[in-house]
Amino acid sequence: MKKISLISLFLASFVFISGALAADLVGPENKEDQNITISAAETHKNLYTAGGNVTVNGNTLGDLTVAGGMVTVEGNVEKDLIVAGGNLFINGKVGETARIVGGNISISAPIGGDLLVGGGNITISERSSVGGDLLVGGGNVNVNAPVKGSVKIGGGSVFINSKIEGDVKVKISKSLVFGPKADIQGKVKYEAPKPAVFKEGSKVPNAEFTKWQKPGRKGRAAGIITVAFLVKIL
């Protein structure tokens, strides 16, 4: 795989800023083929890569930062993960914090620290887990993974169907559903157009409901600021 300079990444419209040492910068080998595949045989200390379709099969011993139209992470990341793109698939274990922003996002691996994720459609499967806090902003959000810390979600439709040890705060414009496997051990506060749906078997004690008000001009401005905040996370 050809190593490229940081200037090349700027020209590819993906900008990564980091003070990390011993970092590998990997980009497309030619202009005709913008796809990148990191083989399972490759191991990197800190890896920064961007392309059309990016697949990372190898393990990363430090941090992994990647951007692309479609990004698939199969290898494990010992420290932090930062991903941005269109369709994102996270199937490799992350040792520390993960920050993910994209259109359609699927997370199916354990996250050792906090998970911050923003996108259109977000699914955190039961094969995943979050060792710290979970912060989500999305249109359709499905949380099926256990969370050790607290959860904050802002979005359209939200489905929660897992054990959450901390507090849960949700602000949505459409619907909130707690599935049969939902087990919330902390306090629950949610703002929504209507009361949440609690499926049979769900354990959600003392949920505090506040009726959601359609935002005016100030509310829409706040929404823009929220999106900007998610981008700033990266």
Side-chain angles (χ1 to χ4, degrees):
M1 182 66 64
K2 183 181 178 181
K3 305 294 180 64
I4 62 173
S5 67
L6 185 59
I7 295 176
S8 297
L9 289 180
F10 272 100
L11 295 176
S13 299
F14 295 103
V15 182
F16 299 119
I17 302 175
S18 174
L21 298 176
D24 291 334
L25 305 174
V26 179
E29 295 187 355
N30 56 69
K31 294 181 179 179
E32 289 73 25
D33 185 1
Q34 294 294 311
N35 298 328
I36 297 172
T37 299
I38 307 296
S39 73
E42 295 183 56
T43 300
H44 296 268
K45 173 61 178 177
N46 296 298
L47 175 61
Y48 300 82
T49 183
N53 296 322
V54 182
T55 301
V56 181
N57 295 312
N59 294 332
T60 304
L61 303 181
D63 301 331
L64 172 61
T65 303
V66 55
M70 182 172 72
V71 176
T72 303
V73 178
E74 298 287 351
N76 295 329
V77 180
E78 289 194 8
K79 293 189 177 181
D80 294 343
L81 171 68
I82 297 178
V83 183
N87 298 310
L88 311 178
F89 305 91
I90 311 303
N91 301 320
K93 179 180 178 181
V94 179
E96 297 182 5
T97 299
R99 300 173 177 87
I100 303 168
V101 174
N104 300 301
I105 301 171
S106 174
I107 302 171
S108 300
I111 309 297
D114 298 336
L115 172 59
L116 300 90
V117 56
N121 299 300
I122 300 169
T123 299
I124 307 172
S125 79
E126 59 186 8
R127 295 191 297 275
S128 180
S129 61
V130 180
D133 296 333
L134 173 62
L135 173 62
V136 182
N140 298 299
V141 179
N142 290 276
V143 179
N144 298 289
V147 180
K148 284 283 187 181
S150 63
V151 172
K152 293 183 179 180
I153 301 176
S157 300
V158 175
F159 178 73
I160 298 175
N161 193 36
S162 63
K163 180 179 179 181
I164 297 173
E165 297 186 20
D167 296 337
V168 175
K169 293 183 178 180
V170 179
K171 185 174 183 179
I172 54 172
S173 60
K174 293 183 179 179
S175 63
L176 172 62
V177 177
F178 289 94
K181 296 181 180 179
D183 182 3
I184 315 301
Q185 300 186 345
K187 298 179 180 179
V188 176
K189 294 183 178 181
Y190 70 99
E191 185 175 342
K194 56 185 178 180
V197 174
F198 301 89
K199 297 292 186 179
E200 184 177 355
S202 63
K203 301 176 182 178
V204 188
N206 304 319
E208 181 180 324
F209 168 59
T210 301
K211 188 173 179 59
W212 177 82
Q213 300 294 328
K214 185 177 180 179
R217 185 173 299 176
K218 290 183 178 179
R220 288 193 292 270
I224 295 172
I225 293 172
T226 300
V227 172
F229 171 74
L230 289 170
V231 173
K232 187 176 180 181
I233 287 173
L234 294 176

